[in-house]
């Protein structure tokens, strides 16, 4: 991997991780178009540690309050009706699907799932799913109305993002809207739900990131990996604040149009032989 590649991919990761456009899909597409190779699923997982560090810092007070209340609630029944205690369980239970599917399909995620035909198709298909959710969802429910079934549904939606092009934030936002949550409520739970899954994925991928997962895969040095992750952290922190403000006042249709346009572009490049699918 070159330094330009590491820096560009770190920027792309930071810009797209929290938007409903698929950061893993963008890293795969960027690598194919500009560098004629794939940085690999492990590179994606490790750079996500940077953006997830941004979540931990941005939501530090909320995370500390939820964790403390959940621990107290394990022995004190009086706090078990509070949102913070329940949210602790919602995040734990909602994280189970992606953990199970990620373990079962870990080999396919690193190989067949990164095929650009798959990425382009999922970008377009799930754009229309997101559009339907934005149009149909009544957005009448806040986090105060959140229930365990909501956490489970959004947890399975998050698991679908194991396929590049689906988008973790896009999947959870879509599910939240279909559950009639407000965009802001769905986004906040999405940020919290990502913490266990992304951190564990990144940690388990640390040992693989410096080994080529397939012929033609670029391999970063330790310094390049650190820089790319740090860049992803800085840009990702700014993206969190921007997205929360944006979804509070705007629809998600701009991301729908963007996904369709990008997916169509990738399909055109594949059909003309400009880029390779693998």
């Amino acid at each position: 991997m070159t330094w330009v590649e590491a820096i560009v991919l770190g920027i792309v990761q930071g810009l797209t991780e929290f938007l409903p456009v698929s950061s893993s899909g963008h890293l795969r597409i960027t690598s194919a178009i500009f560098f004629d190779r794939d940085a690999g699923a492990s590179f994606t997982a490790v750079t996500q540690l940077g953006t997830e560090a941004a979540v931990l810092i941005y939501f530090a007070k909320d995370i500390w309050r939820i964790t403390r209340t959940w621990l107290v609630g394990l022995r004190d029944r009086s706090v078990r009706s509070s949102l913070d205690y329940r949210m602790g369980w919602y995040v734990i239970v909602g994280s189970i699907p992606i953990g199970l599917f990620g373990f079962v399909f870990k080999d396919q995620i690193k190989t067949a799932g990164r095929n650009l035909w798959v990425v382009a198709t999922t970008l377009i298909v799930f754009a229309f799913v997101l559009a339907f959710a934005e149009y149909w969802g009544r957005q009448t429910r806040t986090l105060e109305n959140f229930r365990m079934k909501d956490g489970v549904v959004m947890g399975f939606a998050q698991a679908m993002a194991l396929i590049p092009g689906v988008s973790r934030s896009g999947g959870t936002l879509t599910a939240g809207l279909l559950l009639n949550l407000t965009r802001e409520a769905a986004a906040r739970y999405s940020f919290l739900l990502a913490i266990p899954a992304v951190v564990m994925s990144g940690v388990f991928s640390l040992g693989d990131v410096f080994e080529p997962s397939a012929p033609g895969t670029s391999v970063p040095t330790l310094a390049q990996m650190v820089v790319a992750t740090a860049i992803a952290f800085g840009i990702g922190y700014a993206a969190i604040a921007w997205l929360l403000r944006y979804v509070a006042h705007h629809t998600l249709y701009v991301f729908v149009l963007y996904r369709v346009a990008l997916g169509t572009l990738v399909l055109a490049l594949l059909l003309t032989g400009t880029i390779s699918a693998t």
Side-chain angles (χ1 to χ4, degrees), residues 22 41 55 63 76 97 123 130 133 144 148 193 210 215 217 221 223 231 236 240 250 263 269:
S22 179
V55 173
I63 294 169
D76 185 352
L123 275 171
L130 177 60
E144 290 291 339
M148 182 62 77
L193 182 63
F210 304 111
T217 301
T221 64
I231 291 173
I240 294 172
H250 302 84
L269 293 175

Side-chain angles (χ1 to χ4, degrees), residues 59-69:
F59 291 101
K61 292 182 179 179
D62 294 334
I63 294 169
W64 168 247
R65 190 182 66 250
I66 290 170
T67 303
R68 181 183 60 189
T69 306

